[in-house]
Amino acid sequence: MEKKLSDEEIRELMALHRKTKDKKTAVRINSVILWAKGWKYKDICEALLISESFARNTVERYKLFGISGLKYEHYEGHNFKMTAKQEEGVVKFVEENFVPASKMVIQGVKEEFGIEYTTQGMQAFLKRKGFVYKKPRAIPGKHPSEEVQRAFIEKIENEMEKCKDKEDEALYFSDGSGFLHNTKIGYGWIRKGKEKIFKTNTSRQKVNVNGAYNPETEEAICVEQESPINQQSNIKLIEKIIEHHREYKKIHIVLDNAKYNHGKIFKAHIEKLKREKNVEIELIYLPTYSPNLNLIERLWKYAKKKVVGIYYDRFHKFKEAVRNFFEKEVKKESCKAELEKFIGSSFQIIKG
């Protein structure tokens, strides 16, 4: 039989059982000890001559309140749980504050209401109230107003709709990102009690990717380099986009407000390309502090899951993997289908 508590927890219960003079309390403690050792409820009931509901309630109270739930003198007549109003207060607190661990709530409930919960009990309470344990989503400390964001979204969605109706126009979301040669390990399914070993490295080398993403065709066009992204890499990217759409009359490029996107050399070259290639190039700048409105940010997240989560013992192999992803993998139909689901075409608005 598999034990449900640690040896130390069982020893603590047995020590309490030896000191307990009240027979009902002793039976409750014994019920939990047998349950902890892996006994079935029907066997516990036969051994201690108690009802199954008594055994189950005793174990559930122990899960919620620990030993204090077993020692209480007026066990049957006392409600260890919070009142509805108290629960509402706790729910409001968790909703309005970042709670990194259930211990924070346990301490608050103990100080405020004099009720002690175990970690397991509080976690069960939070789950019952609709909370899950996950990472919070980071957003920029500064961001434009909702009105500014909505106005920009309306403008971009109108441009995207126009491009759908025309065969000689395209709209791309552009940005740059760095891919660090250092294995990034995420959560994964591992057999209970076992460890999964992952090789990592401590390299600080990285591949910088300047890219553009077309949400209509799920196409990604990128330029990879070790040097930082600058006006020259911007020029290479625009030239690559134009080369990909030789017969197009107009190309819209959505980009952020990085200095190299406003550089004189870059803008002068854009004017030169317009004349030489007979194509209209519209630069659409995002509102400041609004990466949430740039769909290509989701491409970077997707790409890093695919590439950075794998161990490469040499930088040149990592560099080749990054290049291969953007030059080959993103062009495969299977990858395009994944990108369509992962990136989508809806925009996130930061409120507050």
Side-chain angles (χ1 to χ4, degrees):
M1 291 183 288
E2 184 182 352
K3 291 189 294 185
K4 296 176 181 178
L5 295 177
S6 67
D7 290 338
E8 185 179 347
E9 289 171 315
I10 293 173
R11 282 196 296 270
E12 186 181 8
L13 285 166
M14 293 177 73
L16 178 64
H17 185 268
R18 286 193 294 271
K19 295 176 183 178
T20 301
K21 294 181 181 179
D22 180 71
K23 288 185 178 180
K24 283 189 176 181
T25 302
V27 170
R28 289 196 292 272
I29 297 168
N30 211 356
S31 300
V32 176
I33 291 172
L34 296 177
W35 166 82
K37 290 183 175 181
W39 282 44
K40 295 180 179 178
Y41 280 112
K42 66 180 185 66
D43 297 327
I44 295 173
C45 296
E46 289 177 8
L48 301 180
L49 301 177
I50 57 176
S51 67
E52 186 170 334
S53 62
F54 181 90
R56 287 184 181 277
N57 288 338
T58 298
V59 169
E60 288 306 310
R61 286 181 182 271
Y62 175 77
K63 287 180 183 179
L64 284 171
F65 309 110
I67 285 177
S68 64
L70 302 176
K71 292 193 296 184
Y72 195 79
E73 293 178 3
H74 307 290
Y75 183 82
E76 274 76 19
H78 182 76
N79 178 15
F80 285 90
K81 296 182 179 180
M82 291 180 282
T83 64
K85 189 173 181 180
Q86 289 171 336
E87 287 187 357
E88 285 178 14
V90 173
V91 168
K92 185 178 180 182
F93 173 80
V94 178
E95 284 178 338
E96 295 178 353
N97 298 274
F98 175 54
V99 178
S102 56
K103 288 181 180 179
M104 183 176 175
V105 189
I106 292 170
Q107 186 65 26
V109 170
K110 183 179 179 181
E111 292 175 357
E112 190 75 18
F113 310 128
I115 300 173
E116 290 190 48
Y117 273 77
T118 63
T119 300
Q120 186 179 17
M122 182 52 70
Q123 288 174 352
F125 168 78
L126 293 173
K127 287 178 182 177
R128 192 168 67 251
K129 293 298 180 180
F131 296 101
V132 294
Y133 191 70
K134 63 179 182 179
K135 285 184 180 180
R137 181 170 52 82
I139 63 171
K142 298 178 181 179
H143 54 80
S145 67
E146 288 185 45
E147 291 76 15
V148 170
Q149 294 178 73
R150 291 185 189 282
F152 179 82
I153 290 170
E154 184 178 357
K155 175 183 177 181
I156 288 299
E157 287 181 338
N158 286 337
E159 294 294 346
M160 290 169 69
E161 282 299 319
K162 290 177 185 176
C163 289
K164 285 181 182 179
D165 298 330
K166 297 179 180 180
E167 296 181 355
D168 56 359
E169 280 193 33
L171 185 144
Y172 282 85
F173 289 84
S174 174
D175 188 30
S177 185
F179 287 69
L180 188 64
H181 179 215
N182 200 334
T183 315
K184 202 171 186 180
I185 303 174
Y187 289 92
W189 290 101
I190 302 171
R191 186 173 291 280
K192 187 178 179 180
K194 299 291 183 181
E195 283 188 319
K196 184 76 72 173
I197 307 300
F198 238 94
K199 289 184 178 180
T200 61
N201 44 39
T202 57
S203 172
R204 304 307 299 172
Q205 290 179 286
K206 68 178 180 179
V207 179
N208 292 304
V209 181
N210 200 18
Y213 176 72
N214 184 330
E216 183 185 353
T217 60
E218 294 95 42
E219 290 178 305
I221 298 174
C222 299
V223 175
E224 309 89 23
Q225 60 191 53
E226 289 182 51
S227 57
I229 294 167
N230 53 28
Q231 295 185 66
Q232 292 302 325
S233 51
N234 256 7
I235 290 168
K236 288 180 183 177
L237 178 62
I238 301 298
E239 288 178 341
K240 200 169 182 179
I241 294 171
I242 293 173
E243 180 63 23
H244 185 67
H245 297 291
R246 292 182 183 180
E247 305 301 322
Y248 278 36
K249 292 182 179 179
K250 188 171 183 178
I251 297 173
H252 310 265
I253 309 289
V254 179
L255 62 173
D256 63 23
N257 288 278
K259 285 185 179 180
Y260 51 76
N261 288 332
H262 288 279
K264 292 181 180 179
I265 297 173
F266 171 61
K267 287 192 171 180
H269 199 83
I270 291 292
E271 295 302 318
K272 182 182 176 183
L273 287 172
K274 287 181 181 180
R275 294 190 300 270
E276 292 181 351
K277 303 294 182 179
N278 193 29
V279 60
E280 185 178 349
I281 303 170
E282 181 187 15
L283 301 179
I284 304 172
Y285 289 96
L286 290 158
T288 54
Y289 305 111
S290 56
N292 55 300
L293 301 179
N294 197 347
L295 295 184
I296 199 173
E297 293 287 350
R298 301 172 196 175
L299 171 64
W300 301 142
K301 188 175 180 180
Y302 174 84
K304 287 174 182 179
K305 280 188 175 183
K306 292 289 185 178
V307 180
V308 184
I310 300 172
Y311 173 73
Y312 303 92
D313 60 347
R314 294 287 184 271
F315 177 66
H316 72 86
K317 293 181 182 178
F318 173 71
K319 186 177 177 181
E320 183 60 32
V322 173
R323 178 178 291 111
N324 182 68
F325 178 83
F326 287 108
E327 295 295 328
K328 296 179 182 178
E329 291 299 316
V330 293
K331 294 177 182 178
K332 294 179 180 178
E333 290 303 318
S334 57
C335 189
K336 283 186 178 183
E338 280 189 18
L339 280 174
E340 184 181 12
K341 291 180 181 178
F342 192 90
I343 298 177
S345 58
S346 60
F347 296 89
Q348 171 210 356
I349 294 177
I350 297 176
K351 299 181 178 181

